[in-house]
Amino acid sequence: MEVVELRVRLHCRACEKAVRKALCRIKGVRCVEIDVISNKITVLGFMDRKMIVKAVRKTGRRAEVWPSSPPSTSILSKSCCPAREQPTSPSGFRCILPSWAF
């Protein structure tokens, strides 16, 4: 399982929703954590880092790989996971299903 952390400037809830939706559609993505305050997006799953960056850029936002650091324990906004299963997540991850996933 890979953890990809990105720096993406999100202006509003619509930006956040568009990015989350694009990332959750990628095959292999298990969890998306968005910290709007620090402009940090953390993606957990079995996927390619380049695919994640490309998906964010397709939404019209600039994405940069976050400098390497251990997973943050800050308070994060809503996340998404596929409806099929709840993954076993590393400490610091809290995955919940969004209402639009159904």
Side-chain angles (χ1 to χ4, degrees), residues 4-6 8 10 19 23 32-34 39-43:
V4 178
E5 295 178 324
L6 301 173
V8 180
L10 302 170
V19 170
L23 292 173
V32 175
E33 299 280 344
I34 299 179
N39 295 317
K40 183 176 182 178
I41 297 176
T42 307
V43 183

Side-chain angles (χ1 to χ4, degrees), residues 83-94:
R84 294 177 267 164
E85 59 186 70
Q86 277 288 358
T88 304
S89 302
S91 63
F93 281 88
R94 178 179 44 91

Side-chain angles (χ1 to χ4, degrees), residues 39 52 67 69 77 101:
N39 295 317
I52 299 299
S69 64
S77 69

Side-chain angles (χ1 to χ4, degrees), residues 4-89:
V4 178
E5 295 178 324
L6 301 173
R7 179 179 295 144
V8 180
R9 184 156 183 201
L10 302 170
H11 302 113
C12 61
R13 290 269 185 203
C15 294
E16 179 185 348
K17 185 177 179 180
V19 170
R20 177 179 282 114
K21 192 173 182 179
L23 292 173
C24 288
R25 288 183 176 178
I26 297 173
K27 185 177 181 180
V29 170
R30 299 288 185 204
C31 212
V32 175
E33 299 280 344
I34 299 179
D35 186 348
V36 180
I37 296 169
S38 64
N39 295 317
K40 183 176 182 178
I41 297 176
T42 307
V43 183
L44 177 69
F46 299 98
M47 70 286 165
D48 183 30
R49 181 180 304 257
K50 291 178 184 178
M51 289 175 56
I52 299 299
V53 173
K54 187 175 179 179
V56 172
R57 289 185 177 162
K58 278 187 176 182
T59 66
R61 279 99 190 148
R62 191 172 130 203
E64 302 170 2
V65 177
W66 193 271
S68 296
S69 64
S72 173
T73 58
S74 64
I75 298 174
L76 300 171
S77 69
K78 295 179 272 181
S79 61
C80 70
C81 296
R84 294 177 267 164
E85 59 186 70
Q86 277 288 358
T88 304
S89 302

